[in-house]
Amino acid sequence: QAQLVESGGGLVQAGGSLRLACAASGTIITINAMGWYRQAPGKQRELVEVISSGGSTNYADSVTGRFTISRDNAKRTVYLQMNTLKPEDTAVYYCAAVVDGSGAWGQGTQVTVSS
């Protein structure tokens, strides 16, 4: 079974930066799309950014210009560079990927942005 493990979350002041990483492990043949979702208390989970196997990306309007997604296929890792963080970015961030035709999810990492 493929597993995704996130890291890099934490507490940061508004305007600061964090970089999240998500590494896939286990028996894997192919990894297609990879992305990041987030969910704040009392809010629905929302898609933040996704990146295809070919490197095509899509960003939510709320993070365009501030967040950058990237992936290292050799390391089977996807990253989310988050700059100019705002309190509204506070949420649990979940890594997701399509691995061998099936969806996989990480456990999530907490990002808290103080004002």
Side-chain angles (χ1 to χ4, degrees), residues 30 37 42-43 48-50 57-59 72-73 88 90 111 114:
T30 59
Y37 292 76
K43 302 293 184 179
V48 179
E49 307 188 43
V50 294
T57 60
N58 287 289
Y59 297 82
D72 186 329
N73 291 328
E88 64 192 56
T90 295
V111 172
S114 62

Side-chain angles (χ1 to χ4, degrees), residues 31-91:
I31 302 177
N32 194 240
M34 305 185 78
W36 293 91
Y37 292 76
R38 67 185 182 186
Q39 186 168 23
K43 302 293 184 179
Q44 295 187 38
R45 183 180 62 185
E46 64 175 346
L47 179 65
V48 179
E49 307 188 43
V50 294
I51 183 168
S52 72
S53 59
S56 178
T57 60
N58 287 289
Y59 297 82
D61 290 341
S62 61
V63 305
T64 298
R66 299 188 299 119
F67 292 9
T68 302
I69 191 170
S70 61
R71 64 191 288 173
D72 186 329
N73 291 328
K75 296 181 179 179
R76 302 195 300 186
T77 300
V78 63
Y79 305 92
L80 184 67
Q81 178 66 48
M82 305 185 293
N83 298 323
T84 319
L85 283 162
K86 304 175 181 179
E88 64 192 56
D89 295 319
T90 295

